[in-house]
Amino acid sequence: MPVVRKILAAAVPALATAALLQTPAHAVVVPEHAVITCQSASFYANYDSSSGPTGLIRTLSYGDKVGHTRGVHPVYNGWAATFDFGPNDWGYVRYECIGGYGSW
């Protein structure tokens, strides 16, 4: 029994240290604050490369608070991955309808 305790005593700190040193393969980037600059903008659940945006969630209005980090979050054929800070969900909206970065 003492041998098992010695092995565990040596192994547990080593495993804990290894777990702390590991970084995730894909770090999450917090969306940059922006607003909708179009009078209205359709907000879709997904983007399909063959058929375009799919699954209309709702229509966003001028001034609605959203998030999109330029150069990090994807834009497909003008449809930008966007975070709607109202109900806290992700979707796609036209890139030209996002502006006012850092305004709030």
Side-chain angles (χ1 to χ4, degrees), residues 70-85:
R70 297 166 284 184
V72 176
H73 296 132
V75 177
Y76 303 111
N77 295 323
W79 290 93
T82 306
F83 186 78
D84 184 357
F85 282 99

Side-chain angles (χ1 to χ4, degrees), residues 5-102:
R5 282 188 186 166
K6 286 182 182 179
I7 292 172
L8 286 175
V12 170
L15 290 173
T17 301
L20 289 174
L21 293 176
Q22 290 183 354
T23 58
H26 175 68
V28 176
V29 175
V30 177
E32 185 179 354
H33 289 173
V35 294
I36 296 296
T37 57
C38 296
Q39 285 301 105
S40 64
S42 298
F43 187 65
Y44 289 92
N46 204 354
Y47 184 84
D48 184 319
S49 61
S50 63
S51 61
T54 60
L56 179 66
I57 298 173
R58 68 184 146 277
T59 301
L60 301 177
S61 299
Y62 179 83
D64 282 351
K65 295 178 178 181
V66 296
H68 173 80
T69 302
R70 297 166 284 184
V72 176
H73 296 132
V75 177
Y76 303 111
N77 295 323
W79 290 93
T82 306
F83 186 78
D84 184 357
F85 282 99
N88 295 328
D89 56 359
W90 283 94
Y92 289 85
V93 71
R94 289 298 301 173
Y95 185 68
E96 62 268 16
C97 289
I98 304 171
Y101 288 93

